[in-house]
Amino acid sequence: MPALIEIQNFEKSFGTKKVHEDINLDIRQGECLGLIGGSGTGKSVLLRSLIGLERPDRGQILVDGIDITKLTEKELIPVRKRVAYAFQGGALFDSMTVFENLAYPLRAHTDLTPRQISEKVMKLLSDFGLAGNDKLLPASLSGGMQKRVGLARAMILNPDVILYDEPTAGLDPFNTTKIQDMILRLKQMGKTGILVTHDMPVAFKVCDRIAMLENGRIGVVDTVETILKNQDHPIMHFAHGEVA
Amino acid sequence: MTEEILIFLGGFGLLVRTVSSEFWRRPFEIRLIIEQIFHVGSRSLPLILITALSTGMVMTLQFGIGLAKFGGAPYVPKIVALSILREMGPVFTSLMVAARVGAGMASEIGSMVVTQQIDAMRALGTSPIRKIVVPRVIACLICLPLLAAIANVIGILGSLIVGTNELQLDPQFFLLKAVTTLKVSDWTSGIGKCVFFSLFISLTACYFGLNVKQGTKEVGLATTRAVVVSSMLVLIGDFLLTKLFFILF
């Protein structure tokens, strides 16, 4: 499979703290790549950089051959329509209802009529098991529901790539399974995914490959199949809590 | 301290530049602008009315008692009306709006930063400047001059109440003196200053809100800074603009 996203010689620091040094990683079309690592290794920073929410100090991020690190906020708009970001806490607009949150990208980027927008939002809410919640404000939703609404909002423009930032963090097993099934369904639809997570069972279930960040670099990247076959694999040690 | 001022000036300049480029871009966010006009204008009105009324009443009392010793009570309507229109109305209204609206804007935007709502706007391919900052700036540009105009009228009304009851001035004489003293330039200089003050307040509040980096503690700090800096800009700007208007008109 060809690489859809290429990260080349990526470096990022915050003040004197160097978070990433010389990161090189390819994300292939249609695959789901897991990105794991201890807390503070910069998984979310790397994920945010893939849609220009963070700028690297050095290096390139090629999305379909276009280096997005050189683009302005305005030039990034087409990239952000293709690459969606599902935030850890949902990042729903708290002054808007669930319906308005989902309608927001459609109103901003499409010429759909209010009726068409309504139909599309209602269908997506139903697909994500959120029917009947359209008039609620985010504050009145549970954490799991907020994450699902956030995922639905990320999906509404039908992106090619979805970046999941710890989608199951803090959820009960029931909601974790729901989110996991949604990611699997999106993968079956041919969507490319990058999953930042600490939840190793979910990573093993939904990912094709897993990359581990260590000391600011990609320490190891391997297919899930290979990892699961080898109990001595560094990622298995991480999964069993034997390394930080 | 010097470093902080330079960072503020640089960041503020960049914000002004971005807002200027987004300001005229269509389609206008009419719904968001109306929402903000309600927050900035309607909700500030009771505070402005009380401030203006008490300012007019207190000034009349102070001037009246002082001038009455020299038989100067009949000059009170002139002095108070001029003071209110040129200075007290616009400046007190702006300070009240800076405290109420500026604080609200900075804390609301700061909270949106902390909960990643601003990042979500960017990630969804929309501009937080266009969706958040521009409607607030436009709302302030519309509301502050209107609030100041209302404050001027209410201030003079407060002055009239005290002038007639405490200083025993004839109401008709009071109004005649106040109205004939005032020129169009007195109205325009006060209201004109409010246009600048509204920019100082809204842009400062949005700047500090957008620059919240971590946690809710910084939201509180941003709110305080927004009120302090915008109030200082109003007061310093008032002197400079008064001087400028005297030169121009």
Side-chain angles (χ1 to χ4, degrees):
Chain A
M1 278 185 287
L4 182 63
I5 299 175
E6 295 167 68
I7 304 168
Q8 299 174 344
N9 311 116
F10 181 92
E11 285 186 21
K12 178 75 184 171
S13 301
F14 289 102
T16 53
K17 190 179 184 244
K18 198 153 204 166
V19 182
H20 297 123
E21 326 181 28
D22 199 29
I23 291 212
N24 290 282
L25 188 64
D26 289 350
I27 295 101
R28 300 165 193 160
Q29 180 109 37
E31 80 166 337
C32 184
L33 177 90
L35 195 57
I36 62 165
S39 298
T41 49
K43 302 180 293 295
S44 294
V45 173
L46 188 58
L47 203 66
R48 288 164 59 81
S49 304
L50 299 182
I51 50 164
L53 291 179
E54 297 284 351
R55 302 274 177 176
D57 300 331
R58 204 173 77 85
Q60 292 182 316
I61 295 170
L62 305 176
V63 178
D64 243 356
I66 300 166
D67 182 8
I68 66 156
T69 61
K70 305 278 190 294
L71 302 182
T72 62
E73 282 286 305
K74 206 175 163 190
E75 289 166 338
L76 277 166
I77 292 173
V79 176
R80 288 170 177 169
K81 284 200 253 179
R82 284 195 63 200
V83 183
Y85 195 109
F87 287 86
Q88 190 174 346
L92 301 176
F93 305 127
D94 53 14
S95 60
M96 297 182 191
T97 62
V98 168
F99 178 90
E100 285 168 338
N101 264 281
L102 265 69
Y104 178 89
L106 295 173
R107 286 179 181 145
H109 297 298
T110 68
D111 296 323
L112 295 178
T113 62
R115 190 192 172 92
Q116 288 169 319
I117 288 175
S118 177
E119 282 170 4
K120 198 163 174 144
V121 169
M122 290 305 186
K123 184 176 179 313
L124 203 62
L125 282 175
S126 173
D127 289 349
F128 278 74
L130 293 158
N133 293 297
D134 55 306
K135 291 186 179 69
L136 297 179
L137 286 168
S140 52
L141 301 176
S142 68
M145 285 168 90
Q146 286 188 18
K147 286 193 187 224
R148 274 188 280 153
V149 175
L151 191 53
R153 188 180 63 183
M155 279 304 303
I156 204 149
L157 291 175
N158 196 23
D160 300 323
V161 185
I162 305 147
L163 311 176
Y164 307 96
D165 191 0
E166 305 208 28
T168 57
L171 295 186
D172 59 72
F174 177 76
N175 275 301
T176 300
T177 309
K178 276 202 161 190
I179 296 272
Q180 177 185 289
D181 291 346
M182 276 171 204
I183 297 171
L184 278 171
R185 194 159 16 122
L186 294 170
K187 192 179 151 191
Q188 281 158 10
M189 287 163 65
K191 308 287 179 194
T192 306
I194 303 173
L195 172 71
V196 163
T197 189
H198 287 125
D199 193 336
M200 293 311 293
V202 171
F204 289 140
K205 186 102 179 172
V206 303
C207 296
D208 299 298
R209 291 188 303 150
I210 296 178
M212 187 158 79
L213 274 167
E214 284 176 308
N215 305 317
R217 295 168 192 269
I218 298 293
V220 57
V221 55
D222 223 331
T223 62
V224 169
E225 209 180 356
T226 313
I227 297 163
L228 290 175
K229 277 181 191 162
N230 180 5
Q231 286 301 310
D232 206 29
H233 197 286
I235 291 176
M236 288 307 279
H237 287 301
F238 178 83
H240 294 143
E242 291 156 16
V243 288
Chain B
M1 185 68 180
T2 315
E3 192 186 335
E4 272 180 40
I5 292 170
L6 287 174
I7 290 170
F8 169 72
L9 291 176
F12 193 77
L14 284 174
L15 181 65
V16 170
R17 194 185 71 175
T18 320
V19 170
S20 309
S21 67
E22 293 279 353
F23 197 85
W24 304 107
R25 192 161 291 162
R26 289 174 190 229
F28 296 119
E29 301 285 349
I30 302 295
R31 199 176 61 89
L32 295 174
I33 293 169
I34 291 170
E35 212 171 83
Q36 287 305 316
I37 287 174
F38 175 70
H39 284 303
V40 176
S42 305
R43 292 205 166 159
S44 301
L45 198 57
L47 178 67
I48 299 304
L49 292 181
I50 291 166
T51 308
L53 192 71
S54 70
T55 306
M57 292 171 91
V58 168
M59 279 176 69
T60 307
L61 206 57
Q62 292 280 15
F63 279 126
I65 290 166
L67 289 172
K69 290 175 189 165
F70 312 101
Y75 294 102
V76 169
K78 274 186 169 194
I79 296 166
V80 173
L82 265 177
S83 309
I84 287 176
L85 251 71
R86 294 195 77 104
E87 290 301 327
M88 297 304 163
V91 172
F92 278 19
T93 303
S94 300
L95 290 175
M96 289 298 118
V97 170
R100 202 195 81 82
V101 177
M105 281 182 188
S107 62
E108 187 188 4
I109 298 172
S111 302
M112 288 179 82
V113 172
V114 171
T115 53
Q116 293 190 302
Q117 291 177 58
I118 300 293
D119 280 342
M121 278 187 181
R122 293 173 64 206
L124 291 166
T126 55
S127 161
I129 301 293
R130 188 174 155 72
K131 296 276 180 189
I132 300 286
V133 181
V134 172
R136 282 162 175 76
V137 172
I138 292 176
C140 275
L141 278 169
I142 293 170
C143 293
L144 193 56
L146 284 174
L147 287 171
I150 294 168
N152 289 343
V153 174
I154 299 298
I156 292 172
L157 186 70
S159 177
L160 175 70
I161 293 166
V162 174
T164 51
N165 290 304
E166 295 288 328
L167 306 177
Q168 276 73 49
L169 294 171
D170 178 56
Q172 277 185 323
F173 167 80
F174 189 104
L175 283 175
L176 189 70
K177 281 285 170 191
V179 171
T180 52
T181 304
L182 299 174
K183 293 184 224 136
V184 175
S185 61
D186 298 322
W187 278 93
T188 51
S189 84
I191 301 299
K193 280 193 275 191
C194 282
V195 173
F196 292 91
F197 296 161
S198 59
L199 292 173
F200 296 159
I201 295 165
S202 56
L203 288 169
T204 305
C206 291
Y207 169 80
F208 282 109
L210 287 170
N211 278 282
V212 167
K213 296 275 185 269
Q214 309 147 338
T216 45
K217 191 183 169 193
E218 255 198 55
V219 176
L221 286 173
T223 307
T224 310
R225 283 185 191 137
V227 175
V228 171
V229 174
S230 56
S231 302
M232 279 164 62
L233 286 175
V234 166
L235 294 169
I236 296 166
D238 182 44
F239 171 75
L240 297 173
L241 289 167
T242 304
K243 187 92 179 154
L244 182 72
F245 287 168
F246 271 129
I247 295 167
L248 292 176
F249 310 109

